[in-house]
Structure formats: C-alpha cells, structure tokens
Amino acid sequence: MAFKLVSFTGDQDFELTADRAYIVGRAVTSDIPIFDPTISRRHAELHVTKAGVTVKDLGSSNGTFINGARITDGTLAANDSVTFGKVVFQVKSLEPAANRLATSAQSLPQAGGTIVKQISMSGGVQAVVLGDQAKVADAPAAPVAGGGQLKVDAATQAERVARKLSLLLDVSQKLSGELDLDKLLTRLVTTTFDVMNVDRVSVLLVTEGGELVPRVSKSRLGDSSAQHVPRSIARKAVEERVAILTDNAVADDRFKGGQSILLQSVRSAMCIPLMAGAEQVLGILYVDNLTATNSFSDEDLQFLIAFGGLGAIAIKNSRFAEQIQREAMVRSNFERYFAPNVAAEIAQQQGAVKLGGDKRPVTILFTDIRGFTSMSEHMSPESIASLLSDYFTEMVDIIFANGGTLDKFIGDAIMALWGAPIPHADDVDRAVNAAIAMQRAITQLNTKWTAEGRPSISVGIGINYGDTFAGNIGSHLRLEYTVIGDAVNVASRLCSNAKGGEILISDPLYQALKNRPAVQARDPLSVKNRAQAVPVWQVKV
C-alpha cells in the first residue's frame, strides 16, 4: 500500500510508503516539513499499514484532526483529510489506476430510489428560497404544518415565516462578524445545531484542485466515526448543484455502492451546496439523523438552503479578507525590497512567501563606497547615518525606477537584482542604465554635499549576469528573498575591482545587452574556483 499526502492549497505533497515512519513537524529535518507557526517542531507521526495511514499526535500545541475531529491516535483512509494545526492535507491512494476506476464505478449513483426532494441551485439561493413564500400572503391565518426539525415555534404559518426570517437575520449577523475561516466554520456548524434538531453536521470545502475536503464536523452523539459524510451524497450535491433531502439514504437506489452510508446507518439526511454564485460551489453543508426516518420536511430543506446561502457569503467574505490581509502583509514586507508596483504583483501571487525557490538567470549589481571606513573615522555617528541615509535613498529610488530589486544593504554596500522575482526581457539593460544613473546621481550629491561642507564620496559598481538559485531563504519566522551562486560572487569581485566612479561589467552581461553602451576592455579578472580569468568591460559614464 502507498499513499500521497496532498496539501489543501496544492503546493505540497509527500509520498508515504509502508517501509518507514514519517515525522510531521516544523523543523527542517522533519520527514514532512510544514513551515507554519501552528505546527509544532515534532507535531505528529505517520505509518502506512494495510488498514490505511495511522496518525499519532506527538503532544502538539494546536492538535491533529482527522476529518475535522481532534485525535490522539487515528487511521486515515483514501480521500480522508488530516489537519496539523491549521494546515489541511488530504490522503490520496497510489494504488493502480485500474483498481481506482473499479472502486469509483461501484460507487456511482444509480437511477430510482427514495429521494424525497432535490432542488437545483444553479439559479442561485434567492430564487430557491423565495419561490414559495408568496403563497403565505394568501392564507395569513393558516395553521402551521406538522413535522420537520426546525426549532421555530409559531401559531400560524405567517408568524412562522416571520420568525424564520428573523432567525436568518440573527444568523447573518453572527456569521458576518467572523472573518477567521476556522472560527467561522465552527460557528456555522454550532449555529446549525442551535436552529435544527439534527444528530450530525459537517462542512466540506472544495480545494483549488477541485477536491472536496472535510473542514469541520460535529456530532450530538459524540462518536468520532460520525465525522464522515457519505461521499455519494456529497458528490451528487456538488456535481449536479442540487440540494438533497432523503428520508432513508440506506434504501435509496441512487446511493447504492456508497458503503459509507451503510456503515454509518444514515436514515434521514439533507445536503446542500454552498454557492458563491450561480455556478461556483465553495463546498457543502450536510446534516443527518441516524435513527429516525422521515424526520426532515420540505420546510427544513428550504430553510437549510437559505441558511447555507448566508454561510457561503460569509465563507467568501472570509477568504476575501484573508487574501487582503495576506497581500497587505506581503506588501509591507516586500516594499522594502521591491518597487511598489512589483511588490503589488508579488502580493497577488498565491504562495509568494513560501520557503524555497528556483534556478534562473539573474543580473546582479553591487555598489561600494571607496574609502568609506577611513572617512567615517573622522565623522560623528549622526553624520555617518545622515550621509548613508541620503545616499541609500537616492540609490534605491534609481533601482526601483529601473524595475530592480533591492536585495540587501551590506554596511555601505548595496546588492540589487534584475530578473527575480519578476523577470523582464530587458533586465540586463535596465541594470546597466541604473548603474549609469547611479554614478551621475552621486556626482550631483557630491556637488550638493560640498556646498554644505559635507565630505564627498566615490563609488565602484560591478554587474554580472548568470544562473543563480533565487528564492525565499530562511526559517518560517524570517524569510529573506535573495540569490545564491557563482554569478553573485563574480559580481561582487567586479565591484571590488572597480575604482571610484567606474562601472565594471562581465562579458556574459555585455553579450546579453540589447542596447550596448560605450565600453572599453579592462584586464581579465581572476576569480576563485575558476580556471580562466573573466573578461571585463568598463562602461563609459
């Protein structure tokens, strides 16, 4: 037996085999490293067995959950979800495709059966819920129909409708005030118990990859086995976008082959898709009773549709708020290093602040103030800080204006990049243009500082172009976007050999230029770990 653990966001997956144990944790040395603050250093341990994947929580701070239920020990089957802290994964079977297809064919819904009612949700929630309400006005004193599990007391049908609308308004206020998705889903499930007599409630959400993953479940009976939603019912609700009411799911021919129904002894159930629009399904809301048949009425289904509509709006708002918060965090972090428009573009990219990176060609620029150490010995700390602040501000503005990335300050030196994280076809030309603009700006600064009685400076600049590893390096607590590789070392050596006012570029960079400036050849540069010297060009400013 072999399985794959796939993250809810789809950016991580791990294959699990039966020949070893897997430690899940925040540490880089973990078998399954998850760099999230809700994950403990040693969070959980996984083993593959004939029965599935066994999970043991290792005393984590934020817990381990199987299909929404917190566990100490448990077993995962294919398509189950497991949550470490707040990071959700789903278990995928790696059995041969023929076996998976055979299993899938056995569980396809058949024709016939005892579905009492199914309502298409493609037209939107409002059309479904309000369709029968006009009839109430024709008989305002009509007695209340019996049956159903909705917790609403009223003497007449008109009064009952009014109380249901009041209840929905109250639910809307409760849900709209919560933007944390986990807390929102928990509140949605808890509120369902408050307004309806049901045994179990579950919320499943659709991932970006289209998988339906359990997020929160609760059982009035308290048994952990009640956390599973019958897959045949859930699949029908999502694929056909229909709200389902069934009085006896075990006897329903449409759900033949759905072994989870038989194992759970589902008698009466309702399942509705959580619709973000006329066609987009965010997930499902599922409720059932395990003992009584004929327990739900048409009114219950209509109310659950309206209730779920409010839940879907709240989920959509929560995700939108989460996206805004993430983008704000990324932008505040990255605007120190990238031009504002580049930072905004990075913020909109999903997973922009993950660990790791990729190999890519990058242009690297270094600047260094010549003789700054000896010059600073004769200056006060305040004067040094003021001079560097003015200098760095001018240089960074030029880097950003030319679409570059500020990698870091190294004392009085600057390291800047072009081609990462957002590449452009003319990155090499942009870097050289920035260097020329820097030298001209330094001339203007010196004129201004001399008039103010401040010391002048001279700066050497070196630029190289080549393959690097570019990405976010560090820990989950602190990430730094940078580049690593031999191309960086060559750029640094070029800068070290540049005299004040000079710009030295490598031959690979010169060959990559689309618009070549006036240059003159310099003596080749010897670089550590290279057998041949590097050809060098000096750009005329």
Side-chain angles (χ1 to χ4, degrees), residues 414-427:
I414 298 172
M415 176 179 171
L417 314 172
W418 279 261
I422 307 296
H424 303 92
D426 59 344
D427 279 322

Side-chain angles (χ1 to χ4, degrees), residues 27-74:
V28 177
T29 54
S30 300
D31 301 301
I32 300 178
I34 306 174
F35 304 106
D36 186 273
T38 65
I39 306 296
S40 299
R41 290 185 63 81
R42 285 175 56 85
H43 196 102
E45 184 174 339
L46 307 181
H47 291 267
V48 175
T49 67
K50 292 182 178 180
V53 181
T54 62
V55 184
K56 180 180 180 181
D57 187 85
L58 299 178
S60 63
S61 300
N62 295 297
T64 302
F65 304 78
I66 293 180
N67 296 321
R70 186 162 185 166
I71 56 96
T72 302
D73 296 276

Side-chain angles (χ1 to χ4, degrees), residues 121 125 272-275 304-314:
M121 299 282 288
V125 173
I272 65 161
L274 298 169
M275 305 290 293
L304 192 67
I305 290 171
F307 176 79
L310 296 174
I313 292 171

Side-chain angles (χ1 to χ4, degrees), residues 8 66-69 78-83 88-90 181-182 184-186 188-189 192 200-208 210-218 226-239 260 264 270-276 280-288 308 311-312 315-316 319:
F8 182 81
I66 293 180
N67 296 321
N79 297 319
D80 282 347
S81 73
V82 57
T83 305
V88 183
F89 285 80
Q90 189 175 33
L181 184 58
D182 291 327
L184 170 63
L185 296 179
T186 299
L188 181 63
V189 169
T192 307
R200 305 184 301 184
V201 181
S202 292
V203 176
L204 291 78
L205 296 183
V206 177
T207 69
E208 289 186 359
E211 298 288 343
L212 194 60
V213 176
R215 290 299 300 268
V216 180
S217 297
K218 185 176 180 181
Q227 308 304 323
H228 296 279
V229 174
R231 295 187 187 116
S232 49
I233 293 178
R235 185 170 58 249
K236 183 176 180 66
V238 171
E239 293 178 356
S260 56
Q264 297 176 63
M270 293 190 295
C271 183
I272 65 161
L274 298 169
M275 305 290 293
Q280 184 186 3
V281 180
L282 298 177
I284 63 167
L285 174 61
Y286 170 88
V287 301
D288 67 20
I315 291 170
K316 190 174 183 179
R319 286 180 169 175

Side-chain angles (χ1 to χ4, degrees), residues 362-382:
V362 172
T363 303
I364 309 103
L365 178 151
F366 279 92
T367 73
D368 187 60
I369 300 176
R370 296 291 170 248
F372 184 77
T373 301
S374 58
M375 181 178 72
S376 62
E377 291 176 354
H378 305 287
M379 300 171 63
S380 67
E382 293 79 8

